[in-house]
Amino acid sequence: MSTLSQNAPTSKARREETEDDVRAKRRKMEEEKQRESEQVEMKKLENLLFGSLYNPVSFGEKDGVVEGSDLFRVDRSAVRQTPDSEDDDDDDDDEQVSDDERVIRKGEAAWEDEEEKEININIASVNRLRKLRKEEDEGLISGSEYIARLRAHHAKLNPGTDWARTDSHITDGDSSDDGGEGDDDDDILKTNEDLVVKSGGSKLCSGLLEYSEHADANIADPSDAPINSVQFHQNAQLLLTAGNDRRLRFFQIDGKRNTKIQSIFLEDCPIHKAAFLPNGSQVIVSGRRKYFYSFDLENAKFDKIGPLVGREEKSLESFEVSQDSKTVAFMGNGGYILLVSTKTKELTGTLKMNGSVRSLAFSDDGKQLLSSGGDGQVYVWDLRTMKCLYKGVDEGSTCGTSLCSSPNGALFASGTDRGIVNIYKKAEFLGGKRKPIKTVDNLTSEIDFLKFNHDGQILAIISRMNKDSVKLVHVPSLTVFSNWPPPNKKMNYPRCLDFSPGSGFMAMGNASGKVLLYKLNHYMNA
């Protein structure tokens, strides 16, 4: 009997231990199932957002057909739902409530926090809230007043567009020659600002540029050689980088992980320049070779093109792509400009300058081409007639080294070997006025790179010869941002730069193999 009493606690303890083990295993299995479920949902979300580009395995494959109903869902959480059934104790009077009283009126909040009216906020004690003050000595305000001022400040910074408002009566082609109270067409040439930003757009403030630094764009796979090209795809998420290490890399830009999607190695060609076609279908890659490459993004296929028939150029390292994605212009020998079709990859024509050609820039949606070089003049070519419309001396230039045209074609910038950048109105330049509207002389070495952002409010200037030699110009006011480059950030030797399609991101490649990434806070969309 004593033996049984001694064994009883032992067997009970064993049962408890067994039950604990079972519960622990059960919890572990449930946690694993939950993790697997979360991973599956995360993968579905990533595939939905980024498609095959986010998955290196499927990079290059054609995306499957996605139904519209799978892309969008209607969120009805903010709409008050009318109950399907009422309690048995409700009076019959409830049935007489009109439908208008059951549905939330337009603009009315679905829920309000009563505590907002009770709390007080000191807007004078926080630096970033002082802009909400209406008077200099104002301090405490109520929570509801704080929210109202925040909304008003947001509406002031982001006025939106007239066509997106429900009460707007603006239609396409609504302009008339008679003029009216809201017609700004007559004033378009009175200021530089109207040439850059359309009426009603979000205008960038001059003086200080608001930005934030993010993880390097190529942090997932940095290069050990100088970066010669960076460019965003038209979807604003895919970034291309290329350089002397002979690798063409693609990154998914989110500002945090910046995941690498694909890396392609070219054995026989250190990459001098790589660029997307504006339609996003191909990448043109060139180096100091008499041939170049075309990479088909859809089929993940490389084609080697060249040498060009009838030409003896030993290097096709420098080129520009037209905005209509139809033409690639290469800089040839002896002042020749070689025009190649992106469809047939064959030479379609040539243009001839008096001096050597050092820089090119397409304008007017690919119908015109600007060029400059060793004779210190800027040429404007009509690609429909293959003739030079006008050529004029670039003020203060003995050798043009870079060109760039604004997105709307109204302005163009010309850089020289002396570190001077001239900004012109193209219409005035074609009319014979050779005086630039602004001369930027903040840099002292040769200008190697110029780039306007998508709305033409920022002009980036880079000189590769000196460290931190990069400037950003506020185009509407024709002034340089005083806080750029960042005073406490070493950028090494900058070499190339690009803005995302909505200018939300700015990526800059340098000689150390890094691609620095910045968020421009003024722009809401990447």
Side-chain angles (χ1 to χ4, degrees):
M1 190 68 180
S2 61
T3 303
L4 292 175
S5 62
Q6 292 176 358
N7 293 336
T10 304
S11 57
K12 182 178 181 180
R14 290 178 179 175
R15 284 197 302 272
E16 292 178 352
E17 292 178 357
T18 303
E19 292 176 356
D20 291 341
D21 293 340
V22 171
R23 284 195 293 269
K25 291 181 180 179
R26 188 178 302 165
R27 284 197 301 269
K28 185 176 181 180
M29 293 176 64
E30 292 177 353
E31 291 176 356
E32 291 179 353
K33 289 181 179 180
Q34 185 177 359
R35 283 196 297 269
E36 292 177 358
S37 176
E38 291 177 353
Q39 290 178 358
V40 170
E41 291 298 327
M42 183 66 71
K43 196 64 178 179
K44 288 181 180 179
L45 179 59
E46 291 174 344
N47 289 335
L48 179 62
L49 290 175
F50 307 125
S52 58
L53 291 178
Y54 192 73
N55 188 355
V57 177
S58 60
F59 182 80
E61 297 181 2
K62 295 182 179 180
D63 294 336
V65 178
V66 181
E67 297 295 337
S69 60
D70 295 333
L71 292 175
F72 303 98
R73 294 182 181 178
V74 179
D75 184 4
R76 305 184 184 277
S77 60
V79 179
R80 182 182 299 168
Q81 300 294 332
T82 303
D84 296 334
S85 62
E86 302 292 343
D87 295 336
D88 295 338
D89 298 336
D90 290 346
D91 297 331
D92 294 338
D93 294 340
D94 294 341
E95 297 178 358
Q96 299 177 0
V97 179
S98 63
D99 294 338
D100 294 338
E101 295 176 356
R102 293 178 181 271
V103 181
I104 295 175
R105 296 178 181 177
K106 183 178 180 182
E108 183 180 348
W111 174 81
E112 294 183 358
D113 188 356
E114 297 295 337
E115 295 182 357
E116 291 177 355
K117 302 177 182 179
E118 300 177 1
I119 63 173
N120 292 322
I121 300 174
N122 190 346
I123 59 176
S125 61
V126 183
N127 291 335
R128 61 188 179 88
L129 298 182
R130 291 178 180 175
K131 57 180 174 287
L132 302 178
R133 295 181 297 177
K134 293 182 178 180
E135 298 179 1
E136 186 176 356
D137 57 348
E138 189 175 17
L140 289 175
I141 61 174
S142 64
S144 56
E145 177 66 17
Y146 172 70
I147 292 178
R149 295 190 186 184
L150 279 180
R151 291 182 184 277
H153 185 70
H154 175 77
K156 180 180 178 181
L157 295 180
N158 303 278
T161 52
D162 293 334
W163 58 264
R165 299 192 183 106
T166 56
D167 57 347
S168 176
H169 300 288
I170 297 176
T171 57
D172 294 338
D174 199 24
S175 61
S176 62
D177 296 334
D178 297 334
E181 294 180 359
D183 191 2
D184 296 330
D185 294 341
D186 294 337
D187 298 329
I188 191 169
L189 295 178
K190 291 183 179 180
T191 65
N192 300 324
E193 195 166 346
D194 289 336
L195 287 173
V196 178
V197 185
K198 294 183 179 180
S199 178
S202 180
K203 297 181 180 180
L204 180 66
C205 296
S206 60
L208 299 177
L209 179 67
E210 294 185 4
Y211 65 91
S212 56
E213 184 178 352
H214 286 255
D216 291 349
N218 64 342
I219 190 172
D221 186 15
S223 174
D224 57 359
I227 301 293
N228 292 329
S229 290
V230 295
Q231 188 180 7
F232 283 92
H233 190 266
Q234 62 178 0
N235 67 7
Q237 299 167 350
L238 183 66
L239 178 71
L240 168 156
T241 69
N244 293 343
D245 61 353
R246 307 185 184 190
R247 289 193 178 275
L248 180 67
R249 296 177 174 90
F250 298 92
F251 297 90
Q252 189 75 36
I253 300 301
D254 58 9
K256 297 178 181 179
R257 294 183 300 172
N258 300 330
T259 309
K260 184 180 77 170
I261 297 175
Q262 185 77 310
S263 178
I264 303 170
F265 181 72
L266 300 179
E267 296 183 357
D268 58 346
C269 185
I271 301 174
H272 183 269
K273 183 170 183 177
F276 287 111
L277 293 188
N279 62 17
S281 62
Q282 301 177 37
V283 178
I284 304 298
V285 182
S286 69
R288 292 184 177 177
R289 301 289 187 270
K290 56 185 177 181
Y291 50 83
F292 65 97
Y293 287 94
S294 173
F295 179 56
D296 189 332
L297 287 174
E298 187 175 356
N299 300 312
K301 179 183 177 183
F302 256 108
D303 290 325
K304 184 177 179 180
I305 297 102
L308 299 177
V309 177
R311 303 301 306 177
E312 298 180 353
E313 277 78 12
K314 295 182 179 180
S315 174
L316 299 175
E317 61 190 84
S318 299
F319 67 88
E320 291 295 332
V321 182
S322 64
Q323 292 91 334
D324 58 8
S325 302
K326 295 181 179 180
T327 306
V328 181
F330 290 92
M331 301 181 198
N333 297 336
Y336 277 96
I337 302 170
L338 315 178
L339 304 178
V340 176
S341 169
T342 59
K343 185 176 182 180
T344 63
K345 306 300 188 298
E346 295 179 354
L347 186 68
T348 58
T350 59
L351 304 172
K352 177 68 170 67
M353 292 173 51
N354 292 335
S356 61
V357 55
R358 293 283 303 274
S359 59
L360 300 171
F362 281 94
S363 180
D364 197 20
D365 295 330
K367 298 182 180 65
Q368 294 182 0
L369 179 68
L370 283 68
S371 66
S372 67
D375 60 357
Q377 298 190 86
V378 176
Y379 295 71
V380 182
W381 306 89
D382 187 342
L383 297 183
R384 292 168 292 187
T385 61
M386 301 295 287
K387 294 182 179 180
C388 181
L389 294 176
Y390 183 79
K391 68 175 181 178
V393 175
D394 185 11
E395 187 176 83
S397 172
T398 57
C399 179
T401 57
S402 57
L403 280 172
C404 184
S405 177
S406 64
N408 61 6
L411 305 175
F412 74 89
S414 174
T416 71
D417 58 348
R418 299 168 54 192
I420 295 174
V421 176
N422 290 324
I423 302 176
Y424 295 91
K425 291 181 180 179
K426 191 175 71 172
E428 292 182 355
F429 186 82
L430 291 175
K433 183 179 178 181
R434 301 178 182 179
K435 186 74 174 177
I437 61 175
K438 177 66 176 179
T439 297
V440 182
D441 54 2
N442 296 72
L443 301 179
T444 58
S445 53
E446 178 178 315
I447 304 300
D448 299 290
F449 185 89
L450 295 171
K451 179 73 176 182
F452 283 96
N453 75 322
H454 84 287
D455 61 2
Q457 295 193 75
I458 302 176
L459 171 64
I461 305 173
I462 286 179
S463 175
R464 297 177 176 177
M465 297 182 64
N466 298 321
K467 286 186 176 181
D468 305 327
S469 293
V470 55
K471 291 292 182 181
L472 297 180
V473 178
H474 180 254
V475 178
S477 65
L478 298 175
T479 58
V480 176
F481 287 105
S482 60
N483 62 335
W484 192 271
N488 299 324
K489 176 69 176 180
K490 298 300 181 182
M491 295 184 171
N492 199 272
Y493 293 89
R495 297 185 62 82
C496 51
L497 181 147
D498 192 34
F499 300 93
S500 60
S503 299
F505 285 116
M506 180 178 68
M508 184 179 66
N510 61 26
S512 65
K514 294 182 179 181
V515 179
L516 308 180
L517 184 66
Y518 299 90
K519 175 72 174 67
L520 302 185
N521 298 334
H522 172 78
Y523 297 99
M524 303 302 295
N525 300 322

